[in-house]
Amino acid sequence: MSTPLESWVEESARLTKPSKIVWCDGSEAENDRFTEEMLRDGTFAELNQNTYPRCYLHRSNSNDVARTEGLTFICTRDRNAAGPTNNWMAPAEAKERVRPLFDGAMKGRTMYVVPYIMGPAQSPYSKIGVELTDSAYVAANMRIMSRMGKVALDRLGSSSDFVPGLHSLADLNPDRRFILHFPEENLIWSIGSGYGGNALLGKKCFALRIASWMAREQGWMAEHMLILGLEDPSGKVTYMAAAFPSACGKTNLAMMVSALEKEGYRVWTIGDDIAWMHIAADGTLRAINPEAGFFGVAPGTNAKTNPNVISAVHSNTIFTNVAMTPGREPWWEGMDSDAPKGLINWRGEQWTPAMGPAAHPNSRYTVPAAQSTSLSSHWEDPAGVPISALIFGGRRARLAPLVYESHDWQHGVFVGATMASETTAAATGAVGVTRRDPMAMLPFCGYNMADYFAHWLSIGPRLKNAPKIFHVNWFRRSAEGKFLWPGYGENVRALKWMLERIEGRAAATETPIGCVPTPESLSLDGLSIPPATLAELLRVNSSDWAEEEQSVGEFFKQFGDRLPAPLRQEHQALAARLSRAAVASS
Ligand code: OXD
Ligand code: MN
């Protein structure tokens, strides 16, 4: 008798017709074999094995360099279950449309059966997925990003409790590219792309879109959040999870070298992208990182922005779409060095500055988490780590202060639901276009976002000592367009303030949007921030916030009656606090 996994593999092979099926065990020997094959067929280029041992470069098809949100669908029987912020197709229609594309898609290719665990191998919170793919590059990435191979098969046994994901590169034609999620049957279909988030199905497709659906049904949370531990001088570590839209430095924050290390404040990494959080028996919120590696954006990464990752990516790392020096080392814009002569760009061509960036702006490194010196010794704790603070953040040139604390869980959910980031046109001081990205989940929530807000609201009352919820903005600018805050390792000063708020030690000023640090309550020793700059960093401008409050109203309209009443109340309460503040100051 076949197991459910064997039956599904057979059925998928009948459809996609590979010439060979390889069951991945995740071993070193297997990885060496895949690497040799990829070097032979050109999927991998070898990097300098003296300075970058076991590092390789993959150049993706130039039409396939980023997640394709427009081709990503949530396929539920009821359209409203997917909600206004997702693309939707009915499951039957989606399958009718896309099954013919899978028919024979793996002809002449190998089908890799990639069993994997999202989460520490021994954790009760971890879940199993199996990806069938015709890309050895995908299998190699999954080996870094998850616990892949025998460990997953052993845990699965003959159970049907796994998330199946069928993936084929097919002909890489964007007109025939679909990333489909069937949350009602825990199924993923992805075709026509070999790029990260579209193709490494454990990451965004399973650990966020499918998992967010599961989490609502099962009473936990699957979030687009980094997890870090802040150690204080006594050695006590306080754990925090934080959500930021892309281009806000999430990986850098998770792996930060603290500017207050001499004072005894150190940051430990648990995860850089995804948090699965459960309510434990004692009423604490406990988080695991479902991933085992970092799939980070390379450009802008250097010894100042992320020294930990720079040393980590010197071995066992897959680089995708970066440039290569004549000495066969990886290179990208915003690395420490100027572009060397003889650079080969991400397309594999001799590069000249007139050609634009040498590394693709979305070029990546895939590196095992275990290679980071910032990794917490608790990162694989089966029970997860207890979360004391949840942080939302965005890139706001004018509006949001450096850090503020919400009044309570419900208000914190409102802060997360209305978070936004501006495009970076602000280089000249011009304010960019604002994109609202609730909890940084807009592209990743597997169901109706209004129901997702309701789920968030339902969690707080079930927690003993619910985490405090904060908002941060590292990107506030002066009237001349200069950043007011130095960022990077200095961000630990805002984390320290949060820690002291959690412990009831730091002072704050009540404002209409929440509690903002008093200037004295921030530890700024060693930084030369003039008092006027500090005042600007912490300022809450009522008229700017009145505009923001209007824009939130517009944003909420799309959810109609499904928007939970407590969020409407929070919106009205904010409006009332802002008008009271305006009257008081006039
Ligand atoms: C990512 C993303 O790649 O959020 O992590 O786009
Ligand atoms: Mn992400």
Side-chain angles (χ1 to χ4, degrees), residues 329-353:
E329 294 193 333
W331 190 91
W332 49 79
E333 279 72 18
M335 223 181 190
D336 291 323
S337 56
D338 289 339
K341 276 217 176 69
L343 199 59
I344 310 284
N345 75 3
W346 67 276
R347 295 171 189 268
E349 307 155 335
Q350 279 293 335
W351 178 76
T352 61

Side-chain angles (χ1 to χ4, degrees), residues 59-257:
R59 298 189 181 104
S60 73
N61 190 298
S62 59
N63 76 29
D64 186 30
V65 292
R67 277 187 295 103
T68 43
E69 290 175 19
L71 305 172
T72 300
F73 291 82
I74 301 297
C75 307
T76 45
R77 286 188 300 270
D78 171 12
R79 182 182 201 129
N80 290 326
T85 60
N86 279 314
N87 298 316
W88 173 83
M89 253 196 274
E93 181 203 335
K95 286 184 182 170
E96 208 168 294
R97 212 161 140 190
V98 176
R99 189 180 283 109
L101 304 181
F102 274 114
D103 191 352
M106 297 191 188
K107 264 189 192 150
R109 298 183 185 158
T110 300
M111 173 193 272
Y112 300 91
V113 180
V114 183
Y116 61 92
I117 305 176
M118 296 310 289
Q122 307 308 328
S123 172
Y125 303 137
S126 298
K127 294 199 177 290
I128 296 175
V130 182
E131 176 163 359
L132 306 184
T133 177
D134 53 7
S135 163
Y137 164 81
V138 165
N141 273 272
M142 287 296 286
R143 182 171 182 268
I144 298 176
M145 295 304 296
S146 67
R147 282 85 176 171
M148 186 274 252
K150 183 173 181 308
V151 63
L153 277 187
D154 286 351
R155 181 161 162 163
L156 182 64
S158 57
S159 160
S160 61
D161 191 9
F162 64 94
V163 172
L166 179 60
H167 170 252
S168 175
L169 299 171
D171 61 1
L172 289 178
N173 185 328
D175 294 337
R176 291 188 283 276
R177 182 173 296 160
F178 291 95
I179 322 298
L180 304 178
H181 305 74
F182 303 90
E184 285 150 337
E185 48 187 311
N186 284 346
L187 173 69
I188 305 162
W189 277 10
S190 165
I191 189 159
S193 166
Y195 168 79
N198 291 340
L200 311 181
L201 301 187
K203 192 173 177 63
K204 304 300 189 181
C205 299
F206 178 178
L208 288 176
R209 298 196 190 94
I210 296 288
S212 62
W213 178 288
M214 289 177 166
R216 182 190 41 164
E217 287 192 332
Q218 299 165 5
W220 51 283
M221 306 171 91
E223 297 301 324
H224 190 201
M225 288 182 155
L226 64 88
I227 311 164
L228 61 78
L230 176 61
E231 182 175 331
D232 75 8
S234 75
K236 183 176 146 225
V237 180
T238 301
Y239 295 95
M240 306 178 170
F244 295 85
S246 37
C248 290
K250 207 160 139 209
T251 302
N252 296 345
L253 183 66
M255 300 179 78
M256 175 211 296
V257 174

